[in-house]
Amino acid sequence: ALNWYGGWHHGRKDEASGFCYCNDIVLAILRLQEKFQRVLYVDIDVHHGDGVEDAFYHSPRVMTVSLHKYCGPGFFPGTGDLDSVGSGKGRYHCINVPLSDGIRDEQYEKIFKRVLSEVKLSFDPHVVVMQCGADMLSGDPVGSFCLTPEGAGKCVSFVLHWDIPTLLLGGGGYHFSNTARFWTHCTALAVREVLSYEIPDHDHFAHYGPDYELYFTAANRPNDNPQKKIDNVLQTISQYLSNLQSPAETQR
């Protein structure tokens, strides 16, 4: 299922936050729990999915995985440190992948596939909710990553190929034409259609210049994610996941 107007991951039960007045993701997961025992939430917005994480911080039935920019309180919402792993029965059911400016497609895809492969093996989800915030794309005025629709789309495709029920949601995205490009690409992946590179003529055609194509090249900016740092993050996440009980034990 697709809802590009959804993905309001900062909203709280008692307050609005980060342009999010109602957390549709939490409501969707609560509804899905009526049918599915284990729900996996995946968030690729450049901002940490704090509202969703907080809602299920103590739950062993929901695992939240967020890949985001993290530099402490200097970047909203200032949460999502590697050490934030859940609490009580939900301990190790919150996985955060803190990243820095300038990360590019190839490195991001490797991180995503490594983490999500281990999550799938450890948690064995019955359904996936994926927030596809487009502010992690290159050129976004709020974000500072260097991803392209094709690169980020490979992460979406990786989850879709698990062939389990999946809900794709929107989220942030402040370069509007690039956001439309990405969500169009994700829609095509979900329905298994191949689209033309050329943007068709329509009322907002001028916003897609100068190339007027579905895909674009990422900006050339420094990558502040040295591989040694990333390896340490991945090793720590692997250790966290190794502490999980088997899904059968959690279900008891």
Side-chain angles (χ1 to χ4, degrees):
L2 309 170
N3 178 19
W4 298 126
Y5 192 67
W8 305 89
H9 60 170
H10 298 305
R12 306 303 179 102
K13 184 177 182 180
D14 57 351
E15 65 177 354
S17 177
F19 309 137
C20 304
Y21 58 90
C22 176
N23 198 318
D24 63 292
I25 304 169
V26 171
L27 297 176
I29 291 174
L30 290 172
R31 188 62 178 267
L32 288 169
Q33 284 184 308
E34 296 176 7
K35 181 176 181 180
F36 299 99
Q37 179 65 25
R38 292 185 296 279
V39 182
L40 172 61
Y41 172 66
V42 182
D43 191 318
I44 59 173
D45 194 289
V46 77
H47 301 96
H48 176 229
D50 58 335
V52 184
E53 178 182 285
D54 286 355
F56 300 103
Y57 203 68
H58 303 278
S59 174
R61 292 185 56 197
V62 179
M63 176 168 281
T64 61
V65 180
S66 179
L67 295 85
H68 51 268
K69 176 177 175 177
Y70 178 78
C71 57
F75 185 76
F76 183 85
T79 55
D81 190 6
L82 183 63
D83 296 331
S84 180
V85 296
S87 181
K89 291 184 178 180
R91 187 164 177 79
Y92 304 121
H93 286 76
C94 296
I95 300 298
N96 286 298
V97 187
L99 301 169
S100 300
D101 293 345
I103 192 164
R104 306 186 74 83
D105 285 346
E106 183 178 359
Q107 187 181 32
Y108 189 94
E109 181 188 355
K110 287 180 179 178
I111 294 168
F112 184 92
K113 289 183 175 180
R114 162 81 178 268
V115 172
L116 268 296
S117 294
E118 294 185 16
V119 164
K120 185 175 185 294
L121 184 64
S122 301
F123 184 63
D124 188 24
H126 295 152
V127 62
V128 179
V129 177
M130 187 167 184
Q131 198 265 23
C132 304
D135 47 11
M136 46 50 181
L137 294 176
S138 179
D140 190 275
V142 174
S144 51
F145 288 176
C146 286
L147 305 182
T148 68
E150 287 177 298
K154 290 179 180 178
C155 299
V156 176
S157 183
F158 182 74
V159 171
L160 291 174
H161 281 139
W162 290 351
D163 202 26
I164 62 177
T166 302
L167 171 61
L168 298 181
L169 301 172
Y174 307 96
H175 188 300
F176 300 136
S177 57
N178 284 352
T179 298
R181 284 179 166 101
F182 178 52
W183 291 345
T184 298
H185 178 58
C186 290
T187 301
L189 292 173
V191 300
R192 300 180 182 180
E193 290 287 342
V194 177
L195 300 179
S196 169
Y197 270 51
E198 295 184 1
I199 300 290
D201 190 16
H202 64 294
D203 290 346
H204 305 284
F205 183 74
H207 295 288
Y208 294 85
D211 296 329
Y212 304 99
E213 293 184 348
L214 183 59
Y215 305 111
F216 59 84
T217 303
N220 186 16
R221 64 174 298 165
N223 184 352
D224 295 333
N225 297 272
Q227 193 57 45
K228 183 177 180 180
K229 174 186 174 183
I230 295 300
D231 289 342
N232 289 335
V233 168
L234 294 175
Q235 182 179 4
T236 300
I237 291 173
S238 295
Q239 291 172 350
Y240 290 155
L241 291 172
S242 70
N243 290 315
L244 281 180
Q245 293 179 318
S246 70
E249 291 175 333
T250 301
Q251 193 168 342
R252 291 174 186 168

